[in-house]
Amino acid sequence: MGLIFDEVAGELPLVERVWAARFDAEVSFASVAKASTMLSFAGNDAGWSMYVHGPETKASNLTCPKGWEFFGVELKVGAHLPLFPSAAVADLRDAQLPTVAGGRILLDNRDWEMPTADNVDVFVARLVRAGLLVTDPLVEEIHQDRRPRGVSERTAQVRFRRAVGISRRKVASIERARSTAQFLMTGGSTAEAISVGGYYDQPQLTRAMRWATGHTPSQLRSDPRFLAF
């Protein structure tokens, strides 16, 4: 396929996972719907760039050229950079950060060393210490289906959407569709997937898989082209 993909182990603050990929040939793939914000880095022989990538409310078809390398930090739901509101960078409206001399990143009127996949944990920790990468504890409560105390339901939902960029209901739909798609890709039957995902019937399952992954359940079970989860 021309793609080499790895997930990088390690425990980082406010981070769900770190991944890295490189393309030895031009590759087309489907980017699956996502509920969280991502810090991504792309580079080739000409240099590297950093992007802030918000949630994706549907699947997108993308193509990456030969010779490019990427790595990214997928944040936990609700973790975000206030300088780049999650709603503003959602659905592929990525923010590309400017670079200055030496390929350094310009962020918050300061220049930062461009990280690598091996030391991105240092970069993330510096962002947290500087108050540039934050999370709202209330978001975690709502995400875990706990009723927040001391605030109204409306205030809670406003704060959730401000941090995450999309509503709690949309987050739940995306997470349900992603887990169901992964179940189908590991050989689960369509009938089992309906139950696993809590869908009413096969038509509802099919609609969910189409908007979330760009594939039907049968395509996910057979041998779909590369999906970027």
Side-chain angles (χ1 to χ4, degrees), residues 1 19 36 40 42 64 70 73 80 82 85-87 92 94 101 111 122 130 153 155 181 200 206 208 225:
M1 292 180 60
W19 57 267
S36 57
S40 61
C64 283
F70 299 83
V73 177
H80 64 288
S86 299
L92 306 184
D94 300 3
D111 61 288
V122 176
E153 181 67 22
T155 297
Y200 295 121
T206 299
R225 62 198 181 101

Side-chain angles (χ1 to χ4, degrees), residues 29 47 52 57 73-74 86 120 158 160 171 179:
F29 62 94
V52 182
T57 57
V73 177
E74 180 183 338
S86 299
V120 72
V158 167
F160 187 95
V171 169
S179 62

Side-chain angles (χ1 to χ4, degrees), residues 155-216:
T155 297
Q157 293 303 325
V158 167
R159 283 173 56 175
F160 187 95
R161 184 182 283 272
R162 182 184 301 130
V164 182
I166 54 179
S167 69
R168 172 67 185 98
R169 180 176 296 182
K170 191 63 179 179
V171 169
S173 295
I174 290 172
E175 292 178 337
R176 178 169 64 154
R178 286 169 60 91
S179 62
T180 304
Q182 290 168 328
F183 174 78
L184 287 164
M185 291 178 68
T186 57
S189 70
T190 299
E192 290 174 316
I194 294 171
S195 176
V196 166
Y199 296 105
Y200 295 121
D201 51 26
Q202 185 167 339
Q204 188 190 30
L205 170 69
T206 299
R207 287 193 298 271
M209 294 304 97
R210 281 189 180 279
W211 67 254
T213 73
H215 292 70
T216 65

Side-chain angles (χ1 to χ4, degrees), residues 30-75:
S31 179
V32 177
K34 301 172 179 62
S36 57
T37 293
M38 185 181 298
L39 311 180
S40 61
F41 303 84
N44 59 13
D45 292 339
W48 284 80
S49 297
M50 174 183 172
Y51 301 83
V52 182
H53 182 91
E56 298 177 45
T57 57
K58 61 182 180 179
S60 303
N61 294 319
L62 302 175
T63 300
C64 283
K66 176 182 178 181
W68 280 77
E69 296 184 44
F70 299 83
F71 65 94
V73 177
E74 180 183 338
L75 302 176

Side-chain angles (χ1 to χ4, degrees), residues 117-179:
D118 293 327
N119 67 13
V120 72
D121 57 330
V122 176
F123 180 74
V124 170
R126 289 183 65 200
L127 291 179
V128 173
R129 288 197 300 271
L132 298 178
L133 175 57
V134 302
T135 192
D136 185 341
L138 187 69
V139 170
E140 180 63 20
E141 291 186 45
I142 298 173
H143 190 220
Q144 297 299 325
D145 292 325
R146 299 197 300 269
R147 185 178 180 84
R149 300 177 181 179
V151 298
S152 68
E153 181 67 22
R154 176 176 173 76
T155 297
Q157 293 303 325
V158 167
R159 283 173 56 175
F160 187 95
R161 184 182 283 272
R162 182 184 301 130
V164 182
I166 54 179
S167 69
R168 172 67 185 98
R169 180 176 296 182
K170 191 63 179 179
V171 169
S173 295
I174 290 172
E175 292 178 337
R176 178 169 64 154
R178 286 169 60 91
S179 62

